[in-house]
Amino acid sequence: MQTSHTAAPAASAISPVRRIAAASWKPVLFAALLWLAAAAGEIPVPGTPVPITLQTFVVMLAGLMLPWRQAASAAALYLAAGALGLPVFAGGASTMALAGPSAGFLFGLVPGIIVIALLRGKAGLSSAARTALTAGRYLLAALVGGVAVVYFFGITVQSALTGVPLATVALASMAFVAGDIVKAVVAALAASGLSRLVR
């Protein structure tokens, strides 16, 4: 009888650790993917100091596939790594990028990813029509959170830091929109397809 009484507390002590580990590995994975998306290379855009990377795509995918707290944790972990001096931002930049022209786009990742996760709703995959509706809802969430919200922060902060008029910064940033719309479409299709696979 004593053995069974002592085994129960040990099992209950392990389960919170397992729960924490289960809740932590996905944010860590997506934070690493954000770094890889920046490390994979960047495409400079004339008229703006902010380059094109695949980070927005990773943000959209994380927001569409994780609960909002885990999604926000992934973006926050990524920003924290850069703030601590790790070269995780585009071009191998770290802390100074959080005070540079692209700072708003980086800080905008957290509210953007939260909006995506909150807007996406539950996946309905019981039929082709419901799957298509889910993909459409995912696309809308990715566009609102991953484009509108992130751009709002990015454009506003860049204008404030550089002294360039808001309209000028917004116009220059439009060079990113077409690519981000494509990323949103791919992320929505990928997330709805993956949700169907892991049901």
Side-chain angles (χ1 to χ4, degrees):
M1 292 295 292
Q2 287 182 335
T3 304
S4 62
H5 283 302
T6 54
S12 63
I14 292 171
S15 59
V17 174
R18 287 180 178 171
R19 283 199 298 270
I20 292 169
S24 300
W25 74 267
K26 289 180 182 178
V28 171
L29 171 64
F30 275 98
L33 288 175
L34 281 168
W35 167 67
L36 289 173
E42 58 184 51
I43 303 172
V45 178
T48 174
V50 182
I52 293 175
T53 69
L54 289 175
Q55 286 175 304
T56 316
F57 173 74
V58 176
V59 164
M60 292 172 181
L61 205 55
L64 293 173
M65 298 190 69
L66 301 179
W68 74 266
R69 287 183 180 85
Q70 289 188 10
S73 295
L77 279 171
Y78 174 67
L79 295 178
L84 290 172
L86 297 177
V88 295
F89 301 136
S94 57
T95 313
M96 292 307 296
L98 296 174
S102 62
F105 288 95
L106 291 171
F107 285 116
L109 297 181
V110 176
I113 210 168
I114 291 173
V115 168
I116 294 169
L118 293 177
L119 285 182
R120 74 167 192 255
K122 292 184 178 180
L125 307 168
S126 57
S127 66
R130 288 178 66 83
T131 301
L133 187 61
T134 295
R137 197 171 61 247
Y138 281 10
L139 174 59
L140 178 63
L143 289 173
V144 173
V147 180
V149 173
V150 173
Y151 276 53
F152 171 78
F153 281 89
I155 291 169
T156 303
V157 172
Q158 188 178 133
S159 175
L161 289 177
T162 61
V164 178
L166 203 61
T168 304
V169 175
L171 185 61
S173 297
M174 291 303 104
F176 296 95
V177 171
D180 282 335
I181 291 173
V182 172
K183 292 175 197 173
V185 171
V186 175
L189 292 174
S192 57
L194 288 169
S195 296
R196 194 175 184 87
L197 287 173
V198 299
R199 274 195 303 170

